[in-house]
């Protein structure tokens, strides 16, 4: 069983930056597909960024060029650097891990409206961007 715990959320003004961290434990996450997701209560979940064990990354179009996903294998920690934040980035951000590399680019995580919860998921951290 892998545990994931997010941190780094908070409130920031538009144009600002935040870095989220996802500390994992239970399994060494080097071989896992890792991802960040966000959701506004009452709306669909959105995949934000994923990175696989080969360091291949995928980003949602809405964050491309502004967000960076990275892994520190020595610390078993996943990061999401967010820059030039807008009010539309306001959401609960959650990290997840999956043992299948295909998940990093597949519909389980990337299909619009996907509710798949296979793998391991954190509890989420709130990010609020004000204008």
């Amino acid at each position: 069983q892998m545990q994931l715990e997010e941190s780094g959320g908070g409130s920031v003004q538009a144009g600002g930056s935040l870095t989220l961290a996802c500390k994992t434990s239970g399994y060494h996450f080097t071989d896992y597909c890792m991802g960040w997701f966000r959701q506004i209560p009452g709306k669909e979940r959105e995949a934000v960024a994923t990175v696989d064990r080969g360091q291949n990354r995928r980003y949602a179009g809405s964050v491309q060029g502004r967000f960076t996903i990275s892994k520190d294998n020595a610390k078993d920690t996943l990061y999401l650097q967010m820059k030039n934040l807008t009010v539309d980035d306001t959401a609960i951000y959650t990290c997840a891990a999956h043992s299948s590399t295909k998940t990093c680019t597949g519909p389980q995580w990337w299909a619009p409206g996907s509710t798949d919860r296979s793998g391991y998921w954190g509890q989420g951290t709130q990010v609020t961007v004000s204008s």
Side-chain angles (χ1 to χ4, degrees):
Q1 187 82 4
M2 178 185 285
Q3 291 80 43
L4 299 89
E5 183 174 3
E6 303 92 343
S7 62
S11 298
V12 65
Q13 288 194 321
S17 301
L18 280 176
T19 297
L20 305 182
C22 173
K23 181 71 173 73
T24 70
S25 60
Y27 289 121
H28 191 44
F29 79 164
T30 302
D31 293 334
Y32 280 75
C33 165
M34 303 296 298
W36 284 100
F37 300 80
R38 65 186 182 186
Q39 189 167 18
I40 299 171
K43 295 194 175 182
E44 294 179 345
R45 185 185 76 193
E46 177 186 20
V48 175
T50 59
V51 58
D52 66 18
R53 59 185 177 184
Q55 299 290 350
N56 299 298
R57 295 170 172 79
R58 179 175 177 176
Y59 295 94
S62 58
V63 307
Q64 183 80 44
R66 300 187 299 121
F67 290 12
T68 302
I69 188 171
S70 62
K71 299 168 63 177
D72 186 330
N73 290 331
K75 296 182 178 180
D76 284 336
T77 301
L78 178 74
Y79 298 98
L80 184 69
Q81 294 177 284
M82 306 184 292
K83 298 180 180 180
N84 196 19
L85 286 160
T86 73
V87 294
D88 291 334
D89 295 317
T90 296
I92 297 171
Y93 284 72
T94 305
C95 62
H98 201 287
S99 59
S100 173
T101 298
K102 294 180 180 179
T103 302
C104 270
T105 56
Q108 277 179 286
W109 281 3
W110 285 100
S114 173
T115 59
D116 184 275
R117 295 277 295 185
S118 60
Y120 303 100
W121 292 76
Q123 294 298 309
T125 185
Q126 176 72 46
V127 172
T128 302
V129 185
S130 58
S131 60

